[in-house]
Amino acid sequence: NTSMRVTSLRRTAVAAALCLNVQAAPAQQPTDFEHAAKATQRVAEPCFAAYIARDWDRLATLLAEAGSFSDPTATAVFGEVRHAGKAAAMKNFREGYAAITHMEFQRTRAFYSSNHAVFEGTLDWTLNLGAGKVATTKGMPFVTILHVASGQVLNHQDFADYAPFLEAVRKARSGG
């Protein structure tokens, strides 16, 4: 009987200690989380603004040397879009986006979760197709996720619904 009481007492003590640790941990976590989220916002906002403005010189100052860019949703439209390293990502922006004459983002929301920033909204953009044809895309659903580390963007990922773009290209090519 005494043995059962000691075992029960030990279990209660362990459970109480675990509860105290679980309750104490969240009090410390938000400070670290909030600090990281604010630091992320300070880098992500100007980086995303530079991206939409196609200000590649400004964006280059915010992209880490090991930084990367990808858009897994663009594969069926443009082929694989994955550029590892700052030099490759910046070359993609400077050359691959050269025919884009306008980009405007309508933000639905943005949030900063620790070292990630998420920008969600729609993108209006104009692409010069050559031969006097221009594809004007309106309201394309668009999400950008930036991973920030040590004050720079380590990874930039875009996700888009390219259906409005493909419709704009068809319309431009058919003369409509």
Side-chain angles (χ1 to χ4, degrees):
N1 212 4
T2 304
S3 165
M4 286 177 59
R5 282 188 204 157
V6 169
T7 301
S8 178
L9 216 65
R10 283 184 185 154
R11 286 183 183 156
T12 302
V14 168
L18 286 173
C19 284
L20 287 175
N21 283 338
V22 168
Q23 290 173 359
Q28 295 169 352
Q29 294 298 329
T31 303
D32 293 342
F33 175 87
E34 290 168 355
H35 174 71
K38 286 178 184 174
T40 294
Q41 184 176 6
R42 284 191 300 272
V43 173
E45 280 290 341
C47 181
F48 187 70
Y51 176 63
I52 294 301
R54 298 173 335 276
D55 182 349
W56 308 132
D57 292 337
R58 174 74 176 127
L59 191 140
T61 67
L62 299 165
L63 187 63
E65 285 301 321
S68 64
F69 171 77
S70 65
D71 182 346
T73 58
T75 302
V77 179
F78 301 112
E80 185 176 32
V81 178
R82 183 178 307 216
H83 305 280
K86 181 177 186 171
M90 294 312 303
K91 180 178 183 194
N92 170 66
F93 291 139
R94 287 190 168 103
E95 296 174 11
Y97 285 51
I100 296 174
T101 60
H102 171 80
M103 281 175 62
E104 185 178 338
F105 184 72
Q106 288 75 42
R107 184 183 297 200
T108 304
R109 69 178 173 163
F111 62 91
Y112 314 91
S113 185
S114 189
N115 60 347
H116 286 86
V118 179
F119 298 91
E120 189 177 340
T122 58
L123 186 67
D124 294 345
W125 60 297
T126 305
L127 179 67
N128 183 341
L129 300 172
K133 300 198 183 270
V134 175
T136 301
T137 303
K138 298 282 187 190
M140 184 176 83
F142 193 75
V143 175
T144 293
I145 300 173
L146 303 177
H147 176 198
V148 175
S150 302
Q152 292 192 303
V153 173
L154 189 56
N155 187 1
H156 174 150
Q157 281 191 297
D158 284 347
F159 299 87
D161 176 356
Y162 283 96
F165 167 71
L166 294 172
E167 182 57 34
V169 169
R170 276 190 216 97
K171 185 177 176 182
R173 288 186 175 151
S174 70

